[in-house]
Amino acid sequence: MNAVRTGSPGATRVCPHCKATILESAAVCPACRHHLRFEDAAARDAATITPLSVEGMLRGPDGERAWEYTVVVAIRNERGEEIARHVVGVGALYGDEQRTFSLSVEAKDVPAPRGSRMRGKR
């Protein structure tokens, strides 16, 4: 487990378990959920907010047909420019099947260095 890192807000690193790009401040990898360092769960949960949470369900089409689906997540900046786009998953749905899709954005208040603001793909 690693000690708390003191990088800039939005600084990233690679999870040593799943190789996903994650925030340097993360105590638990959001992709594989492995613990990266000890952090009091109550303090972590109190500091984290979820400003966006969406959930929806798809049922397969009627009859002997199928739907193929692609789940895409895109992030745009304040000017509407796409700064990230990822295919999260693909699959097929038949008439008797259903899938539930959930998207949430978790945010955590962190102190910003004086007079600086990081720009880039965040």
Side-chain angles (χ1 to χ4, degrees), residues 8-73:
S8 300
T12 60
R13 64 178 165 149
V14 175
C15 172
H17 305 284
C18 70
K19 308 302 182 215
T21 300
I22 61 173
L23 288 171
E24 201 171 77
S25 61
V28 176
C29 175
C32 68
R33 297 185 179 150
H34 276 92
H35 289 263
L36 305 171
R37 68 169 187 273
F38 175 79
E39 184 175 86
D40 181 27
R44 180 185 67 237
D45 293 343
T48 302
I49 61 169
T50 306
L52 175 66
S53 182
V54 179
E55 184 171 290
M57 182 192 57
L58 288 178
R59 290 187 190 276
D62 293 333
E64 297 294 317
R65 300 173 28 230
W67 283 347
E68 289 185 327
Y69 64 86
T70 303
V71 180
V72 178
V73 175

Side-chain angles (χ1 to χ4, degrees), residues 85-104:
R85 182 180 186 87
H86 298 280
V87 174
V88 178
V90 297
L93 277 173
Y94 296 91
D96 60 343
E97 296 178 327
Q98 72 179 33
R99 301 285 187 277
T100 301
F101 302 91
S102 300
L103 167 73
S104 64

Side-chain angles (χ1 to χ4, degrees), residues 7-12 112-113 115-122:
S8 300
T12 60
S116 69
R117 182 173 172 189
M118 290 186 65
R119 290 280 186 190
K121 293 185 176 189
R122 299 284 178 251

